[in-house]
Amino acid sequence: MAAASNDLLQEDGAVKSPAVPARSALLPPLNLPFLSPHFCQPVSSHEHKLNFRKSKEVCLNYIQDAVLQKQWERAAEFLTSYIESLEKDYSNEYMGPSEIIWRIGTEILCHHSHSSMKELNSFMEQMKILGIKRYLKVCLEHVFHLLCNGFIDEAYQNLSLAESWRFGEQTVIQDKEMKLIQAYRGLLDYYKWSKQKKILLEHGEDGLEDLSVEQEMHSCFRKAAVNLKEIIKIPGVWDQFVKCYVDLLEFYGDHNEARQVLHDYAYNSKFPSNPNAHVYLYQFLKRQGESKKSLISALKNLHDTVPSHELMIDFNLMLQKSKKKKNRQLGLEVIFAALDYAGWKENVKAWSCLAKQLKQIVMSEKHLDWLKQEWSPRKDWWPAFHFSRYLGKRNWQENQSLSYEKALVAGILLGKDDKYFKYISHQGCKARMKRFRILKKFVHKHNPVYMRISGL
């Protein structure tokens, strides 16, 4: 990181900045401690400590101000001055680099226009040497930056070095970080394994070359499996690690272990609630051709946590095919719940599912109580949310299939006089589209259903 420029500071230590932003003007004048004469005295007086602490805080305020305004060059100059002030403090109390320097310095280097990966690497190495108490945290962040910039091999080397690091009791204190180091190394071993697998699948059987690839694959598998298996035993959210470990197990045919891992990840009460865990379990069960009962169970748990998940359409379709009444009723609940969310407002498939189920209920005149149960809590807000005249015009212009399905739902739930239904059916009949004429006749014929579910 470059040193503060000469023209930034005046001789008295104040900042010379002709165009300081309005927010900066609210801060007190910057008086960097290492430029004050009394700081050169080799004493550790109470007054010295107070002045130093106060000037440190002021300097940090300027750094924060520059970072928040994304003035990275200015922030770099202030941080350099802050670090120099720590180095030039002559008090007896040791003042090593704090976590603030590491975190702010990293942030600045990631955004500074003249920064490079070489400078970031150098800064991180210094922070590792000087910050023993957070050595592994710095290593992890360094690895993340290397990965984000495509330096896979360098990241792996850093993880290997970090894993071999030992420093007395600090090694024990940083045990959690060490497990993360091992887990990310396992993730990169999985990455190497997947590359070898791709080569093997693309080239088929090529004798000795094929054998060497397979051996390399198995070596990567063993190293990845050991570390991935360990991290997912610890309660937490380990989506990527779980997916990679399950992929390894499935490839080598260990389906029972894969099922157990996913089951524990989804249902172990020690782990935080995680919708993705149920998604992964459902996808695995589906790949294995498991029973509908198992699939419904997995998706039921997903519905309970995220009723707006995209898999709710699959869940609804599965439930509608069930012979059990409670499952078909649940299917109606599922699709209504999904359409409560703005992200589903223009989902043609969702409206089609609801329209189909409503049509079946209306024609059979069975289970109108299910419909009334779902509609009652929504009748006051769904009309404005889904069935305004404005939405009718927009839906008709943008997607006539969507407008058709919604018009059928609106006609059943709100009756033949609903403005959305009237507008869409009128436009459809005007365009001489047969299905809209049939739609209009159907809604008019079954209008008494609207009266019954509305309690009129």
Side-chain angles (χ1 to χ4, degrees), residues 4-24:
S5 58
N6 293 331
D7 62 344
L8 177 70
L9 303 171
Q10 296 177 348
E11 289 182 2
D12 60 357
V15 175
K16 182 171 71 176
S17 179
V20 178
R23 188 178 182 281
S24 299

Side-chain angles (χ1 to χ4, degrees), residues 340-393:
D340 284 342
Y341 293 85
W344 287 72
K345 288 182 76 171
E346 297 180 359
N347 190 310
V348 181
K349 200 164 185 180
W351 284 107
S352 177
C353 288
L354 180 57
K356 182 180 178 181
Q357 195 165 358
L358 293 188
K359 195 172 181 180
Q360 289 172 348
I361 291 173
V362 168
M363 290 175 69
S364 66
E365 293 196 6
K366 294 179 181 179
H367 312 307
L368 288 176
D369 55 322
W370 299 355
L371 184 52
K372 187 174 182 178
Q373 183 179 328
E374 295 303 325
W375 180 237
S376 292
R378 295 175 171 88
K379 64 182 180 181
D380 292 332
W381 64 277
W382 261 41
F385 188 61
H386 286 306
F387 305 124
S388 66
R389 185 177 174 82
Y390 165 75
L391 284 174
K393 290 180 179 179

Side-chain angles (χ1 to χ4, degrees), residues 315-445:
F315 191 29
N316 172 266
L317 293 172
M318 201 182 302
L319 292 167
Q320 290 317 303
K321 293 175 182 177
S322 173
K323 294 180 180 179
K324 295 181 179 180
K325 285 185 180 180
K326 67 175 185 178
N327 282 344
R328 295 199 301 276
Q329 183 178 4
L330 177 59
L332 187 65
E333 176 189 330
V334 165
I335 202 64
F336 261 110
L339 288 165
D340 284 342
Y341 293 85
W344 287 72
K345 288 182 76 171
E346 297 180 359
N347 190 310
V348 181
K349 200 164 185 180
W351 284 107
S352 177
C353 288
L354 180 57
K356 182 180 178 181
Q357 195 165 358
L358 293 188
K359 195 172 181 180
Q360 289 172 348
I361 291 173
V362 168
M363 290 175 69
S364 66
E365 293 196 6
K366 294 179 181 179
H367 312 307
L368 288 176
D369 55 322
W370 299 355
L371 184 52
K372 187 174 182 178
Q373 183 179 328
E374 295 303 325
W375 180 237
S376 292
R378 295 175 171 88
K379 64 182 180 181
D380 292 332
W381 64 277
W382 261 41
F385 188 61
H386 286 306
F387 305 124
S388 66
R389 185 177 174 82
Y390 165 75
L391 284 174
K393 290 180 179 179
R394 197 179 79 180
N395 292 160
W396 177 258
Q397 291 172 355
E398 295 177 356
N399 192 332
Q400 291 182 3
S401 295
L402 172 66
S403 64
Y404 172 82
E405 303 295 351
K406 284 184 67 175
L408 177 55
V409 173
I412 294 171
L413 297 176
L414 295 166
K416 61 184 177 63
D417 295 323
D418 172 65
K419 50 193 171 184
Y420 187 97
F421 167 74
K422 286 175 71 175
Y423 179 82
I424 298 299
S425 59
H426 175 72
Q427 294 299 319
C429 292
K430 188 178 176 182
R432 297 183 179 181
M433 300 173 77
K434 184 178 179 180
R435 64 174 180 164
F436 284 92
R437 290 199 302 272
I438 297 171
L439 165 66
K440 188 174 182 179
K441 288 179 181 178
F442 179 86
V443 170
H444 279 260
K445 179 181 177 181

